[in-house]
Amino acid sequence: QVQLVESGGGLVRPGGSLRLSCTASSITFSDILLKNAVGWYRQAPGKDCDLVAAFTTADGKTNYADSAKGRFTISKDNAKNTLYLQMNNLKPEDTAVYYCMTDSWTPNHYSDCGLFGSWGQGTQVTVSS
């Protein structure tokens, strides 16, 4: 399995920004995308694991949750082998643990994060004044 490590979470005020990073060991995101999708999910306490944004194909096709459109941007830096999630205009309802993952597909919801594919350990994002 691919080993993924997220970073960049923290406490931010409403309206603020954060950039999450995800690095992969032993394989590049470019190679992963030849066969699988890569994406960001989030899970708040007592809630489902929800898709935030994903690269669904190697040519850069993306899929965003409605709640993320216009505020969040998924990107990757091939030279650094790093996946990013830029989050702007954060709201309290964005508070969750955010996970980087890869699998053959990226459904809109899982009952719980980590069930299928390869997942990182998660990074906490808290939006509060």
Side-chain angles (χ1 to χ4, degrees), residues 14-26:
S17 298
L18 279 176
R19 188 177 75 164
L20 306 183
S21 300
C22 174
T23 58
S25 62
S26 73

Side-chain angles (χ1 to χ4, degrees), residues 30-99:
S30 296
D31 285 341
I32 292 172
L33 281 165
L34 293 175
K35 294 185 178 181
N36 286 332
V38 295
W40 291 93
Y41 281 76
R42 68 187 184 187
Q43 189 165 29
K47 301 287 185 65
D48 283 351
C49 179
D50 295 329
L51 174 70
V52 178
F55 282 113
T56 56
T57 62
D59 62 2
K61 183 177 179 182
T62 56
N63 183 27
Y64 287 90
D66 287 344
S67 60
K69 289 177 182 176
R71 298 189 301 128
F72 295 2
T73 304
I74 188 171
S75 64
K76 62 184 177 69
D77 185 327
N78 291 334
K80 296 181 178 180
N81 196 31
T82 301
L83 184 74
Y84 298 106
L85 183 69
Q86 177 67 44
M87 304 186 294
N88 299 327
N89 190 22
L90 283 159
K91 305 175 181 181
E93 51 265 40
D94 295 318
T95 296
V97 178
Y98 284 70
Y99 297 89

